[in-house]
Amino acid sequence: MEFQSQKGTTERILEAAGELFAESGFQDTSIRDICARANVNLAAVNYHFRDKEGLYEAILLQSFEQIQRAYPFELTGECPEKDLEVFVRMLMFRLLGKGRPALHGKLMAAEMSSPTGALDKLCEEAIRPTHELLVGIIRAIVGEAPENDLNDLAASILGQCLFYKHAQPVIIRLRGAIPVEDHEIEALARQITSFSLAGIEKYRITHEQ
Amino acid sequence: MEFQSQKGTTERILEAAGELFAESGFQDTSIRDICARANVNLAAVNYHFRDKEGLYEAILLQSFEQIQRAYPFELTGECPEKDLEVFVRMLMFRLLGKGRPALHGKLMAAEMSSPTGALDKLCEEAIRPTHELLVGIIRAIVGEAPENDLNDLAASILGQCLFYKHAQPVIIRLRGAIPVEDHEIEALARQITSFSLAGIEKYRITHEQ
DNA sequence: TCACGTATCAAACAGGTGTTTTAATTGCTC
DNA sequence: GAGCAATTAAAACACCTGTTTGATACGTGA
């Protein structure tokens, strides 16, 4: 007889593994750590998810659905400047937000710099569409331009956002802390958007004939 | 009797380990890999450098001297816009340049997202001074401003640069390649500088009374 | 009640890691 | 050339990893 509040084994594993993968990465998280936190037997991961990679992919899939529901890119297509602000804000929440909804963003950021076997699939299913979205916004502002230039501008924006995740350990040492509260994240998103709109505008002016 | 072309054991270890640490990180590089590439006995690393961390620190120290000689931040202090361009170009070469001189930049980038025990020391001796340099340039452009705002602007610039290193595996999948030739790196540095100067100017105009 | 598929468990396995040990070898000085 | 310290070498050690095994308990339908 189980307590109703006690979730099943697979759920407990998914929960514990998600937290550990997010804070320590795939490599540095051991199955023993996961099972200890989930309060399940060591063999449970292999039984329910075949192997460690299977568990990781299950978490990636689950968290992808969660993040799209929690932080969607709801663009109007009418005002690209406003769309950029939405894009940046949602991306920042995906990277810096608290709790389960932001899990996928953090796993993606980790995957970018320390890829596992899951990166190829992740790239095509999640990263490329997001990148296309951003390039579309930029194109709506600057008009037609060489694909390479649009990619560079997109990189400038993505780089500003991802920096706060990728360089987190350094930022904490240099500045003491990292934005965590919702209003802090929103303020940062506005600052990055404003900065980027100026950069994009400068490109447009420089390259119009 | 040794061939003159055959360097000593410690030099061969430093050379092999530098390459491996740069491309695979500290964790994913094993002492056995290093010794195999350096053609030395397995025990040599522990004998000459006490342990794996000792070797890593020796490489960090050695490559720090090399990078300062190869890619110095030679700022005039007269024209902050020009100084920013120099700063960005040197930083990009440190991150994307070829061969030994760029080793330290790559190790630093890796250290930022996946810190080892060496990060604290590295932060104080290399990263913080570089950050102060950049903040100084920005302050020269916008005038006095809250420290937090200057830090945000610095983060926007550093983020754009580091993105090309931190997201390298993804960029290669999305765009096919990453800038490697000197003229490509310089062009990218000019683009980032131009973009950033516009962003900084926008901040200055928005916040002047 | 019995048998069967599912799930859990403790234990062991096979492979890799950083490090240490102990002996052999080298190179240099007296 | 003998003696001595520094270096190299092969082997083993202790630990951690993901995974598998075989036994046991559970629940369900015949």
Side-chain angles (χ1 to χ4, degrees):
Chain A
M1 169 108 176
E2 248 181 25
F3 293 113
Q4 278 199 325
S5 64
Q6 181 87 312
K7 298 172 190 165
T9 306
T10 59
E11 284 80 11
R12 291 218 305 286
I13 292 175
L14 284 169
E15 195 164 331
E19 298 169 9
L20 290 172
F21 282 146
E23 69 188 41
S24 308
F26 180 80
Q27 281 276 6
D28 291 355
T29 300
S30 75
I31 294 187
R32 280 172 177 80
D33 291 342
I34 295 168
C35 293
R37 177 177 295 211
N39 254 305
V40 300
N41 184 269
L42 172 60
V45 164
N46 295 90
Y47 179 79
H48 289 279
F49 299 95
R50 197 179 72 248
D51 55 19
K52 192 182 171 187
E53 275 200 36
L55 168 59
Y56 187 65
E57 285 169 19
I59 289 178
L60 238 29
L61 190 68
Q62 185 202 48
S63 62
F64 187 48
E65 291 161 5
Q66 290 173 340
I67 204 175
Q68 283 179 312
R69 234 180 300 120
Y71 302 120
F73 294 120
E74 282 173 341
L75 310 183
T76 67
E78 294 171 7
C79 176
E81 288 81 5
K82 196 71 199 159
D83 280 349
L84 183 64
E85 170 140 15
V86 172
F87 180 92
V88 170
R89 184 169 59 242
M90 287 302 109
L91 183 54
M92 291 305 281
F93 272 111
R94 287 173 176 221
L95 292 168
L96 302 183
K98 280 184 276 196
R100 202 73 192 176
L103 176 59
H104 192 265
K106 288 164 186 174
L107 294 178
M108 277 214 326
E111 196 72 30
M112 283 195 187
S113 49
S114 310
T116 72
L119 180 58
D120 284 320
K121 197 179 161 202
L122 201 66
C123 225
E124 295 311 316
E125 294 180 2
I127 300 179
R128 190 183 292 278
T130 304
H131 185 260
E132 295 292 333
L133 214 60
L134 177 56
V135 168
I137 297 173
I138 297 170
R139 186 184 285 114
I141 299 178
V142 301
E144 272 315 313
E147 198 65 23
N148 202 53
D149 288 9
L150 295 175
N151 284 332
D152 281 349
L153 292 170
S156 280
I157 295 166
L158 294 173
Q160 291 177 73
C161 297
L162 279 158
F163 180 73
Y164 285 89
K165 191 71 213 168
H166 276 154
Q168 190 164 2
V170 170
I171 296 177
I172 288 174
R173 281 168 176 78
L174 249 51
R175 302 176 58 172
I178 216 165
V180 286
E181 300 300 331
D182 283 7
H183 68 91
E184 292 175 318
I185 297 175
E186 286 188 25
L188 194 53
R190 276 195 302 275
Q191 149 65 18
I192 291 176
T193 304
S194 163
F195 188 97
S196 300
L197 281 173
I200 296 173
E201 194 62 20
K202 167 91 157 282
Y203 173 89
R204 191 181 65 75
I205 293 169
T206 309
H207 291 78
E208 70 185 353
Q209 81 286 16
Chain B
M1 168 107 176
E2 246 182 27
F3 293 112
Q4 280 200 325
S5 64
Q6 180 87 309
K7 299 171 190 165
T9 306
T10 58
E11 285 79 11
R12 291 217 305 285
I13 292 176
L14 284 168
E15 193 165 333
E19 298 168 9
L20 290 172
F21 282 145
E23 71 187 39
S24 308
F26 180 79
Q27 281 276 5
D28 292 355
T29 301
S30 76
I31 294 187
R32 281 171 178 80
D33 291 342
I34 295 169
C35 293
R37 177 177 294 212
N39 255 304
V40 301
N41 185 269
L42 173 60
V45 164
N46 295 89
Y47 178 79
H48 288 280
F49 298 95
R50 197 178 75 248
D51 55 19
K52 192 182 170 187
E53 275 199 37
L55 168 58
Y56 187 66
E57 284 169 19
I59 289 178
L60 238 29
L61 190 68
Q62 184 202 49
S63 61
F64 186 47
E65 292 161 4
Q66 290 172 342
I67 204 175
Q68 283 180 312
R69 235 179 299 119
Y71 302 120
F73 296 119
E74 283 173 340
L75 310 182
T76 67
E78 294 172 6
C79 175
E81 288 81 5
K82 197 70 200 160
D83 280 349
L84 183 62
E85 171 140 16
V86 171
F87 181 91
V88 170
R89 183 168 61 242
M90 288 302 107
L91 183 54
M92 292 304 282
F93 272 111
R94 287 172 177 222
L95 292 169
L96 302 182
K98 282 184 273 196
R100 202 73 190 175
L103 176 59
H104 193 264
K106 288 164 186 175
L107 294 178
M108 277 214 327
E111 197 72 30
M112 282 195 186
S113 49
S114 309
T116 73
L119 180 58
D120 283 319
K121 197 178 162 204
L122 201 66
C123 227
E124 294 312 316
E125 295 181 2
I127 300 180
R128 189 182 293 277
T130 303
H131 186 259
E132 295 293 333
L133 214 60
L134 177 57
V135 168
I137 296 173
I138 297 170
R139 188 185 284 114
I141 299 178
V142 302
E144 269 317 313
E147 199 64 24
N148 203 52
D149 288 8
L150 296 176
N151 284 334
D152 282 348
L153 293 170
S156 280
I157 294 166
L158 295 173
Q160 292 177 72
C161 298
L162 278 159
F163 181 73
Y164 286 88
K165 190 71 213 166
H166 277 155
Q168 189 165 0
V170 170
I171 296 177
I172 288 174
R173 281 168 176 78
L174 251 50
R175 302 176 60 171
I178 217 165
V180 284
E181 301 299 332
D182 282 7
H183 69 91
E184 292 175 318
I185 297 175
E186 286 188 25
L188 194 53
R190 277 196 301 274
Q191 150 65 18
I192 291 176
T193 304
S194 163
F195 188 98
S196 300
L197 280 174
I200 296 173
E201 193 62 21
K202 168 90 156 284
Y203 173 89
R204 192 182 63 78
I205 293 169
T206 309
H207 291 78
E208 71 185 354
Q209 80 285 14

